[in-house]
């Protein structure tokens, strides 16, 4: 019984390692592109009703 | 390319695209190496070793960075120069004179629409006719485009859809004139409100309708000094400068602000049908155009009567995502470096409030807080 548990734990650790690496690779290929305004602008003319 | 590490991420500025990307630090390093001519194979081998991943996985990642980041930035985007043909009117029916410090601006318009885009926020600066004129602005319409000429030099023209860029350029030309600085001398212009307390300033940011201007007016009524509303120019020494426009107050804020500013009840109301905005303008008090201020912090603000007060530091990389798309930032490399250095050292906060006193107290504490 003990041997079965140890193997299961080892498998679990290996699986976590794979998921961890997968998550790391995903993060490395995640890029957030941000575009500043091309020129100075006043408040954008979006419809915000009366707002606050 | 310019890169800056901020917390656990890197920010990379792509010069030709004038674009910022927020990425993992390893991704930024690969990007820089690829743009400096390092081979995909070499980088892949090193990445494989560092991350202990299969060669193919590493190569896939490097190729992805090449394709999505490096390649699009190879070529500078050429703006297609188009010849602007226009005919300047012989006369301008609407003429206004504005005095900012001791500087006199003569501004001419051809119709009420053009006047409505500019005059209301500067009305408190209007003076009678002046024989001494320091700067001459002319606004006119040709072929459904609005033109701006300053001291007989054409600046640009704009269609109705992008008329807020006309307003922005007008404001920028005012700023350049007051401070005798060209556009290259500025780090950026931020869509924010700015206040000053003692020798420092704070920028208040947030989406339209979140309460930037109303918060500014409340703070001004409680001992802080207004530097700017909606348009905050910061120069290439990272100094926050005053902008002379009135503070725009929406109708919903009148009840909150009237006790502090009884004059608001009788002040002129401007209905911008196109933008579905009804605003009044509150003159800023005691602006000193000879002074500019270092920035102590950025506060992303939101007023909501149903929410409890919260004040939390936010990560600079998250704040960066909120700041950049709403800002004009100089695309001169030295100014970009300055911007990234300046921003990386700024504490950033998210402030949500329904109670005005708590908001004011929180802002005071941020000013008092030693970095």
């Amino acid at each position: 019984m003990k041997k079965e548990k140890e193997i299961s734990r080892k498998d679990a650790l290996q699986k976590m390692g794979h998921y961890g690496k997968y998550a790391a690779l995903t993060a490395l290929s995640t890029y957030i592109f941000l575009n500043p305004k091309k020129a100075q602008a006043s408040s954008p003319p979006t419809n915000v009703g009366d707002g606050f | 390319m310019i890169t800056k590490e901020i917390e656990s991420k890197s920010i990379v500025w792509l010069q030709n695209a004038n674009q910022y990307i927020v990425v993992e630090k390893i991704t930024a390093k690969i990007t820089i190496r690829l743009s400096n001519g390092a081979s995909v194979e070499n980088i892949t081998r090193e990445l494989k070793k560092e991350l202990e991943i299969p060669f193919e996985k590493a190569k896939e990642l490097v190729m992805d960075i090449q394709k999505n980041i490096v390649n699009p930035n190879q070529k500078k985007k050429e703006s297609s120069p188009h010849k602007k043909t226009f005919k300047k009117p012989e006369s301008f029916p609407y003429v206004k004179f504005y005095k900012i410090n001791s500087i006199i601006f003569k501004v001419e318009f051809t119709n009420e629409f053009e006047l409505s885009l500019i005059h209301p926020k500067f009305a408190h600066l209007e003076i009678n006719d002046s024989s001494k004129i320091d700067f001459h602005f002319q606004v006119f319409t040709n072929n459904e485009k609005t033109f701006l000429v300053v001291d007989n030099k054409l600046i640009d023209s704009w269609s109705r859809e992008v008329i807020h860029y006309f307003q922005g350029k007008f404001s920028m030309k005012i700023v350049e004139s007051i401070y005798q600085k060209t556009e290259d001398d500025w780090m950026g212009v931020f869509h924010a409100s700015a206040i000053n307390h003692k020798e420092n300033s704070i920028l208040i940011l947030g989406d339209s309708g979140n309460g930037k201007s109303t918060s500014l007016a409340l703070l001004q009524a409680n001992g802080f000094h207004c530097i700017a509303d909606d348009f905050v120019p910061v120069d290439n020494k990272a100094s926050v400068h005053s902008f002379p426009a009135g503070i725009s107050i929406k109708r919903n804020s009148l009840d909150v602000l009237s006790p502090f500013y009884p004059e608001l009840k009788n002040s002129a109301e401007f209905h911008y049908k196109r933008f579905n905005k009804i605003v009044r303008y509150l003159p800023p008090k005691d602006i000193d155009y000879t002074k500019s201020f270092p920035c102590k912090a950025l506060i992303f603000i939101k007023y909501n009567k149903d929410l409890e007060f919260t004040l939390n530091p936010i990560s600079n990389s998250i704040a960066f995502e909120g700041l950049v798309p709403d800002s004009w930032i100089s695309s001169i490399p030295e100014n970009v470096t300055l911007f990234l250095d300046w921003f990386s050292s700024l504490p950033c906060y998210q402030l949500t409030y329904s109670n005005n006193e708590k908001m004011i107290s929180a802002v005071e504490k941020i000013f008092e807080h030693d970095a």
Side-chain angles (χ1 to χ4, degrees):
Chain A
M1 281 295 276
K2 204 178 171 184
K3 256 197 179 169
E4 277 179 13
K5 269 190 184 171
E6 280 178 357
I7 289 167
S8 293
R9 196 182 305 125
K10 187 179 169 186
D11 279 348
L13 283 170
Q14 274 184 340
K15 275 188 180 168
M16 276 172 62
H18 285 313
Y19 286 135
K21 278 205 176 136
Y22 175 75
L25 282 177
T26 305
L28 290 178
S29 55
T30 300
Y31 327 123
I32 299 172
F33 286 88
L34 301 168
N35 293 295
K37 289 198 173 336
K38 300 295 177 199
Q40 306 86 20
S42 185
S43 270
T46 49
N47 180 356
V48 291
D50 274 335
F52 181 73
Chain B
M1 286 186 187
I2 293 172
T3 182
K4 179 81 182 175
E5 290 187 357
I6 291 187
E7 294 153 356
S8 62
K9 303 276 188 199
S10 280
I11 294 171
V12 181
W13 177 63
L14 306 172
Q15 181 163 357
N16 286 336
N18 187 23
Q19 199 172 40
Y20 294 82
I21 46 167
V22 181
V23 294
E24 297 295 320
K25 289 180 183 176
I26 293 177
T27 306
K29 286 175 185 161
I30 294 169
T31 302
I32 299 295
R33 289 190 65 194
L34 283 169
S35 70
N36 287 339
S39 74
V40 169
E41 294 294 320
N42 282 346
I43 298 174
T44 301
R45 266 194 291 275
E46 289 169 30
L47 190 64
K48 168 190 177 313
K49 204 171 157 187
E50 186 179 341
L51 297 183
E52 293 177 356
I53 55 174
F55 184 87
E56 283 310 313
K57 282 283 176 202
K59 188 172 180 181
E60 200 180 295
L61 176 65
V62 176
M63 298 283 292
D64 193 70
I65 293 169
Q66 174 93 55
K67 179 185 163 198
N68 289 304
I69 300 177
V70 180
N71 287 352
N73 189 48
Q74 297 288 24
K75 213 173 158 188
K76 190 176 171 67
K77 280 184 186 172
E78 295 291 342
S79 53
S80 50
H82 51 280
K83 222 175 151 187
K84 291 191 199 309
T85 53
F86 64 93
K87 194 177 170 207
K88 201 162 124 184
E90 285 173 17
S91 67
F92 291 80
Y94 301 90
V95 183
K96 297 288 184 189
F97 295 87
Y98 303 107
K99 187 176 176 188
I100 301 170
N101 252 3
S102 55
I103 302 166
I104 310 287
F105 292 82
K106 178 181 180 182
V107 186
E108 295 179 299
F109 308 88
T110 59
N111 60 49
E112 286 193 8
F113 170 71
E114 293 160 6
L115 186 69
S116 75
L117 293 172
I118 301 295
H119 178 69
K121 62 164 89 76
F122 294 114
H124 60 287
L125 300 163
E126 188 180 6
I127 58 170
N128 291 333
D129 199 347
S130 175
S131 52
K132 169 196 174 267
I133 296 166
D134 296 295
F135 298 98
H136 186 196
F137 286 45
Q138 291 169 305
V139 181
F140 57 92
T141 305
N142 251 211
N143 298 323
E144 297 180 349
K145 283 199 167 187
T146 302
F147 285 72
L148 174 63
V149 168
V150 176
D151 293 340
N152 291 318
K153 188 181 161 199
L154 173 68
I155 304 302
D156 208 337
S157 65
W158 299 263
S159 63
R160 289 281 172 107
E161 287 69 37
V162 292
I163 206 69
H164 54 300
Y165 281 105
F166 155 71
Q167 292 174 300
K169 187 58 75 178
F170 188 101
S171 293
M172 191 65 193
K173 286 298 171 190
I174 293 281
V175 162
E176 289 174 23
S177 304
I178 297 170
Y179 298 110
Q180 287 294 285
K181 289 178 188 286
T182 68
E183 189 174 271
D184 291 352
D185 297 322
W186 297 94
M187 181 182 85
V189 172
F190 301 98
H191 177 220
S193 299
I195 47 166
N196 145 246
H197 183 57
K198 295 178 184 171
E199 296 308 314
N200 281 304
S201 67
I202 284 179
L203 265 56
I204 299 170
L205 303 114
D207 291 337
S208 289
N210 273 16
K212 295 187 296 297
S213 299
T214 305
S215 303
L216 173 65
L218 284 168
L219 288 161
Q220 181 180 254
N222 282 274
F224 299 87
H225 296 282
C226 166
I227 299 178
D229 180 47
D230 188 58
F231 191 92
V232 181
V234 182
D235 71 11
N236 59 6
K237 307 279 183 289
S239 219
V240 181
H241 287 255
S242 299
F243 181 61
I247 305 170
S248 71
I249 305 296
K250 293 190 179 82
R251 206 180 246 179
N252 278 358
S253 309
L254 286 180
D255 286 341
V256 164
L257 294 176
S258 296
F260 303 101
Y261 303 101
E263 67 271 30
L264 268 177
K265 281 195 174 141
N266 298 321
S267 61
E269 192 171 69
F270 298 93
H271 189 186
Y272 296 102
K273 285 188 185 139
R274 186 179 176 84
F275 308 145
N276 194 22
K277 274 164 77 167
I278 302 171
V279 298
R280 298 167 194 233
Y281 287 94
L282 186 66
K285 283 184 193 168
D286 306 324
I287 286 195
D288 183 352
Y289 297 102
T290 63
K291 282 189 172 174
S292 59
F293 305 94
C295 184
K296 187 90 189 242
L298 302 185
I299 300 177
F300 289 81
I301 211 160
K302 187 170 174 62
Y303 169 85
N304 187 314
K305 62 179 173 58
D306 298 321
L307 292 180
E308 290 293 314
F309 171 84
T310 58
L311 174 67
N312 295 308
I314 54 173
S315 84
N316 280 53
S317 53
I318 299 288
F320 194 74
E321 291 175 38
L323 177 72
V324 168
D326 223 8
S327 308
W328 170 79
I329 300 159
S330 172
S331 56
I332 293 169
E334 290 77 11
N335 290 345
V336 171
T337 301
L338 169 73
F339 166 62
L340 292 174
D341 287 343
W342 169 76
F343 177 78
S344 66
S345 65
L346 276 180
C348 298
Y349 299 90
Q350 175 76 49
L351 192 162
T352 304
Y353 77 100
S354 50
N355 180 294
N356 298 336
E357 284 73 33
K358 285 186 179 176
M359 180 273 291
I360 293 161
S361 171
V363 170
E364 195 166 6
K365 282 197 181 100
I366 293 171
F367 268 117
E368 301 297 331
H369 185 257
D370 288 324

